[in-house]
Amino acid sequence: MDVAVRLDRTGGLAGQIYRQLRDAVLDGRLRRDEALPSSRELAEQLQVSRNTVTTAYERLTAEGYLTGRPGAGTFVNALPLAEPTVPQTPTGPLTPRPVWPSMPVPPDFSDAPEFDFRVGAPDARLFPYAAWRRLLTDQFRPAAVGTGMPAEPAGHTGLRTVIARHLRTARFIETHPQDVLVTCGVQQALDLIGRVLLEPGATVAIEEPGYAPPRLVWEAQGAKVIGVPVDDQGLIVDALPADARLVYVTPSHQYPTGVALSLRRRVELLAWAQRHDAAIVEDDYDSEFRYTEQQLEPLHSLDRSGRVLYVGSFSKVLLPTLRLGFLIHPPSLRHPLHAAKFLTDWHTALPLQAAMADFVEQGMFARHLRRVRRVYRQRHERIAAALAGPLSAHLTVVPSTAGLHLSAMVRGATAADALVRARAAGVGLASFPEIATSAPDPPGVVFGYGMIDAPRIDEGLALLHRHLDAG
Ligand SMILES: Cc1ncc(COP(=O)(O)O)c(C=O)c1O
C-alpha cells in the first residue's frame, strides 16, 4: 500500500513518522499483512535520513504494530481492532436532485436460497474459464496494448465486426460495424439512448409488468415513464400514450412474463412509431437461448424506417459481471451516440473487448452457446413439464420457448399462501412485483433456471408441490 506521511518539520521527525503510521494501523488504513515501504524508500520519499525511518519502524515493531520478516520486508501485524463505523444518517450541505433519494441501490445477491430459482444471471459454473484466462493473458502484452492511449469510443473494431456478423447470421439483423456501439451492458445502452433522444419531461413507454432498470434510468434523466399493459400477445400497442417519444420492448421474450410479441403487434408497433414519430428500443437480452426453431424475427429486421434501436448483452451468455453489451443504432444517431459514449466513459475496457472479439472469431462463442443451450434446454424442459403436470392445479404456465426463466400465474389465494410458505422453506421464487415494475395483479411467479442445476430443480419443485397440495 502506498503510504502518505506529512512532516511539518516542527517536532522530532522519527516521532511524527511513528505517530502517523501507528494511527494508520489503528484506524484501519493499513491492514494486517500489508507491506510497508523499505526504510530506504520511505526515507527517499520523505527526504529524511534513513536512520530517522529506522528509528520509527523499530519503535512500531517493539510495540507490536509491525513485524520485520528477514529478506521480505516490514509488515503490519494482525490486531483485534473494531470495525470502523459508518455514519448511519449521512449529513452535509449538499443535497441531490429530488429524484435520487428514492432510487434503489443494488440488492445483496450473496444470500442464495436453498433452491435457487432467481432470475438475472446464468450459471457461473459453465463459464469457459480456461479459454478466457488465455484470451485475457494474450491482451496484456506490449504488442496488444500499443501506446496505451484511449481508443475509439464506439468500441474495438474487431468486436464491432464480429457482433455485426453474429447478428446477421443468428438474428437476421442487417447492420454495418459502424453502427454497432459496444457498451457496458444493456444498462449503459439505455442510458446513452436516453441522453441522446429524451428532452427533460419527455414521455417514455415501457411494458408493465416489465424490466425495472429502463424506468429507473430514464426517470433519473428527467423523463416521464408510463407503464403500458402486456397481454398474451405482448405489449398492447393501442394503449400506448400518444406523446411517447420512446417505447421500450422485449419482443422475443417479454420480461418477466415470457410471452413473445405477436407478428401483428410488431407490425402495429412499427406503424405506431412511424405515425407518432417515436423511437423503439428492442431489448433482445436472452434471445441466444431458443429451444425451438419457430421464432419471430427481431423487430429490427422488420423495421424499414430506421426507428428501432436494438440492444443486446453478453451478460446472460457469459457473465453479468463482464459488463459487456452492444447497441445497434440507425446511422442517423451514429455521431450523437458515439459522442455520448465518449462523454460518459470514453470507451469500454479495451482488453476485454479484444478478448471477446477473439472468443467469437475463434469459434469458441458458438461452441459455448451450443453447450450452454443444451444445459438450459434440459432445465427449461424439467420446469415446463412440472408446470404442465403436477403443479398445473395451482399455477398456469405462460408458454415460452426461450430464455433463462419461465413464468406462471398463481391461481387463488390458497395457492398464494402456499407459495409464501414454500419460499420460507427455501424455494427461491420471485413474484412479478419483486423483479419487475408491475402492479400486484396478475399475481405471477418466475422460475429462473440460470443458477440451479437439474437435480436441485427436481427437489425444489417437489418441495413446492408438497406446499401447494397441502393448501
Ligand atoms: C430484460 C433484461 N434486459 C437486459 C438484461 C441485461 O442487462 P445488462 O447487459 O445491463 O447486464 C437483463 C438481465 O437480467 C434483463 O433481464
Side-chain angles (χ1 to χ4, degrees):
M1 180 64 67
D2 194 21
V3 48
V5 176
R6 275 195 220 105
L7 299 180
D8 58 18
R9 321 239 160 217
T10 53
L13 295 176
Q16 290 184 52
I17 297 170
Y18 159 81
R19 275 191 298 281
Q20 290 185 41
L21 292 182
R22 181 200 58 192
D23 290 351
V25 173
L26 288 176
D27 64 24
R29 278 174 293 144
L30 284 175
R31 284 185 281 171
R32 62 179 295 180
D33 290 330
E34 218 145 24
L36 271 88
S38 70
S39 54
R40 189 175 43 75
E41 283 167 340
L42 190 57
E44 253 173 40
Q45 181 189 324
L46 300 176
Q47 300 278 291
V48 297
S49 79
R50 187 168 174 191
N51 210 19
T52 305
V53 176
T54 312
T55 307
Y57 276 17
E58 279 173 0
R59 187 169 165 199
L60 287 161
T61 304
E63 291 179 8
Y65 293 102
L66 304 180
T67 300
R69 295 183 201 152
T74 306
F75 296 84
V76 178
N77 276 339
L79 293 173
L81 299 173
E83 283 292 314
T85 49
V86 182
Q88 286 308 303
T89 43
T91 51
L94 301 179
T95 50
R97 283 172 44 225
V99 71
W100 283 105
S102 59
M103 279 287 160
V105 287
D108 181 3
F109 293 108
S110 57
D111 214 2
E114 192 178 352
F115 301 100
D116 198 351
F117 290 104
R118 289 177 300 170
V119 282
D123 197 328
R125 291 165 295 190
L126 301 176
F127 184 77
Y129 289 98
W132 270 82
R133 267 199 303 277
R134 184 173 61 69
L135 293 170
L136 282 174
T137 305
D138 283 349
Q139 290 309 317
F140 291 99
R141 298 183 200 283
V145 171
T147 62
M149 290 296 282
E152 162 66 38
H156 179 273
T157 311
L159 181 58
R160 293 165 76 198
T161 306
V162 295
I163 290 173
R165 193 146 47 78
H166 165 68
L167 292 177
R168 192 174 316 120
T169 49
R171 300 296 284 146
F172 306 101
I173 286 178
E174 285 303 329
T175 187
H176 189 277
Q178 278 185 323
D179 294 319
V180 177
L181 173 60
V182 179
T183 60
C184 295
V186 161
Q187 194 57 24
Q188 186 181 42
L190 303 177
D191 179 56
L192 298 175
I193 292 168
R195 286 170 193 255
V196 165
L197 288 180
L198 299 176
E199 296 289 353
T203 300
V204 175
I206 60 165
E207 299 163 326
E208 192 153 295
Y211 187 47
R215 174 186 281 283
L216 298 173
V217 77
W218 291 326
E219 277 180 353
Q221 290 176 352
K224 188 171 84 186
V225 182
I226 299 194
V228 174
V230 167
D231 65 13
D232 59 355
Q233 291 190 59
L235 182 86
I236 301 178
V237 176
D238 286 345
L240 282 168
D243 61 343
R245 308 292 345 114
L246 196 67
V247 182
Y248 166 88
V249 273
T250 46
S252 302
H253 190 228
Q254 202 274 329
Y255 183 93
T257 62
V259 297
L261 189 66
S262 69
L263 179 62
R264 187 184 182 80
R265 293 269 174 89
R266 285 173 196 241
V267 174
E268 278 175 12
L269 177 58
L270 288 166
W272 185 95
Q274 196 153 1
R275 274 201 314 283
H276 292 80
D277 192 22
I280 299 169
V281 177
E282 173 174 31
D283 182 353
D284 212 20
Y285 64 106
D286 64 4
S287 64
E288 290 82 6
F289 304 114
R290 279 168 280 130
Y291 311 118
T292 158
E293 277 319 303
Q294 284 122 44
Q295 289 289 322
L296 291 165
E297 288 177 27
L299 266 180
H300 189 282
S301 61
L302 299 176
D303 175 28
R304 299 286 171 268
S305 65
R307 294 184 175 277
V308 176
L309 295 110
Y310 177 96
V311 297
S313 177
F314 294 110
S315 287
K316 301 268 181 178
V317 186
L318 287 166
L319 283 179
T321 46
L322 287 182
R323 306 310 306 138
L324 211 47
F326 48 87
L327 160 58
I328 312 302
H329 50 74
S332 60
L333 295 180
R334 187 182 300 152
H335 171 74
L337 281 167
H338 294 193
K341 171 72 178 165
F342 168 62
L343 290 183
T344 308
D345 63 358
W346 204 315
H347 58 75
T348 298
L350 203 60
L352 191 66
Q353 294 190 59
M356 186 73 218
D358 289 346
F359 187 65
V360 182
E361 198 63 77
Q362 295 174 23
M364 290 183 266
F365 181 66
R367 240 188 346 267
H368 174 71
L369 258 182
R370 282 196 296 277
R371 172 170 169 247
V372 294
R373 230 182 243 143
R374 267 199 306 278
V375 173
Y376 294 134
R377 179 199 294 271
Q378 206 192 35
R379 297 180 187 178
H380 175 98
E381 283 168 358
R382 274 181 136 88
I383 299 174
L387 285 168
L391 300 175
S392 62
H394 313 284
L395 302 172
T396 307
V397 63
V398 179
S400 160
T401 54
L404 291 182
H405 71 267
L406 264 165
S407 295
M409 298 303 169
V410 185
R411 285 212 302 276
T414 319
D417 290 346
L419 265 166
V420 172
R421 286 197 300 279
R423 286 172 50 155
V427 183
L429 294 171
S431 67
F432 281 5
E434 287 165 319
I435 52 144
T437 59
S438 94
D441 287 322
V445 282
V446 185
F447 296 79
Y449 44 87
M451 292 185 274
I452 182 165
D453 55 23
R456 299 297 280 167
I457 288 177
D458 292 346
E459 282 178 62
L461 293 180
L463 180 58
L464 174 64
H465 189 198
R466 286 200 292 281
H467 277 282
L468 286 167
D469 271 0

